[in-house]
Amino acid sequence: MAAGRRGANGLSIFGGRERMPHAKGTSRGGRARLSYLFLLSSFAIFFQLGFMLARQILAVTLSYSAMGIVQSESNDSSVWLPDGWETYSFSETRRHFGCKAYAHDQTKPLLSMQDWKLFQSKYRDIVDETATFDDPVPPTMGYTLGDGGPPPYYAKHSPEGRGRGLFASRDIKKGELTHDGTNSDIMFPDAMAWRRYIFSLPRNRACDMVDWTWTQQSDEDGEFHIFSAINISVLHNGATEAANVNPTSSTSSKFYATRDINRGEELLTDYGWYDTVWDDVGLGKRHD
């Protein structure tokens, strides 16, 4: 007898005995096919989800690049742009980053050279591509003052509970120039440039720069502009009666000693010399 043949009803006949097929879906081959189809459909779903996620990430990255904003690598929290950030006021920006709590932290460390380099590179990439930061004096020491080396101060934590501050590196005579912002300050052309710069920074660095921002006129009849600095000169702590270094006018960026200052004494300035006019520079109240 042949090893196998078809009967009239199409069933296989082996050794003269009919072999009935298994119920649908219960054969090993059927189960294997179902498992294969399940795996294939699962793979297709996961692939589609991954593709959609990749498209979203790419869209966000391209939008950041179009605005000149790139996420910073830092131990701080990642930078995400909130809705309406383009019209944020100064106080809204400060609140977004939670800078009030950070400002009251008197144990904040002094910034490293890497931190200052981050500020410099972001300013050059986002605000002014022609900006140069090639001063032989590193920002951790200030900048080149006049014909000599750095200004007559250094940065450390204040024992008076003021946080980071500046202290005389030598005895300073009354009337002596201690700081020249015309050689070290940076200016933002408008409020949008300032926002783009701030929102490109990680949280702590953004808070630093927010609190180191002020408004000033270059001359008495001129417009107000947004200023800051990328070196330790921004660590001048404020005082009124105890101030010992001040500008001679609200349009000057040069500080002079108002009395003799001993080596190791903290340098304090009166912030009241410069008017804070966020409305005039486009950073005034929106709905805050």
Side-chain angles (χ1 to χ4, degrees), residues 73-92:
E73 296 181 2
S74 172
N75 292 329
D76 296 330
S77 301
S78 297
V79 180
W80 296 106
L81 294 176
D83 291 338
W85 69 274
E86 302 94 332
T87 57
Y88 265 28
S89 66
F90 176 87
S91 56
E92 282 179 306

Side-chain angles (χ1 to χ4, degrees), residues 84-93 95 190-192 194-195 215 226 276-288:
W85 69 274
E86 302 94 332
T87 57
Y88 265 28
S89 66
F90 176 87
S91 56
E92 282 179 306
T93 303
R95 185 165 57 245
D190 51 46
M192 191 60 189
W194 182 84
R195 293 188 192 98
T215 58
I226 305 169
T276 301
V277 287
W278 300 126
D279 286 337
D280 288 10
V281 296
L283 290 174
K285 290 184 178 180
R286 185 184 61 163
H287 54 256
D288 48 358

Side-chain angles (χ1 to χ4, degrees), residues 108-126:
K108 296 187 296 291
L110 296 174
L111 269 60
S112 67
M113 189 65 186
Q114 182 179 0
D115 293 323
W116 295 113
K117 289 291 186 183
L118 173 65
F119 285 135
Q120 292 175 348
S121 64
K122 290 294 185 181
Y123 184 83
R124 185 167 47 245
D125 293 343
I126 295 173

Side-chain angles (χ1 to χ4, degrees), residues 60-164:
V60 172
T61 302
L62 290 176
S63 66
Y64 274 27
S65 299
M67 291 182 290
I69 297 176
V70 180
Q71 296 247 359
S72 303
E73 296 181 2
S74 172
N75 292 329
D76 296 330
S77 301
S78 297
V79 180
W80 296 106
L81 294 176
D83 291 338
W85 69 274
E86 302 94 332
T87 57
Y88 265 28
S89 66
F90 176 87
S91 56
E92 282 179 306
T93 303
R94 194 170 189 267
R95 185 165 57 245
H96 167 75
F97 285 101
C99 296
K100 183 177 181 180
Y102 178 75
H104 286 87
D105 179 7
Q106 303 303 319
T107 64
K108 296 187 296 291
L110 296 174
L111 269 60
S112 67
M113 189 65 186
Q114 182 179 0
D115 293 323
W116 295 113
K117 289 291 186 183
L118 173 65
F119 285 135
Q120 292 175 348
S121 64
K122 290 294 185 181
Y123 184 83
R124 185 167 47 245
D125 293 343
I126 295 173
V127 181
D128 182 3
E129 63 181 9
T130 67
T132 57
F133 299 97
D134 54 3
D135 194 314
V137 175
T140 51
M141 296 177 62
Y143 56 92
T144 299
L145 179 64
D147 297 329
Y153 51 68
Y154 61 92
K156 76 168 189 176
H157 284 87
S158 173
E160 301 297 326
R162 299 189 182 97
R164 299 171 294 193

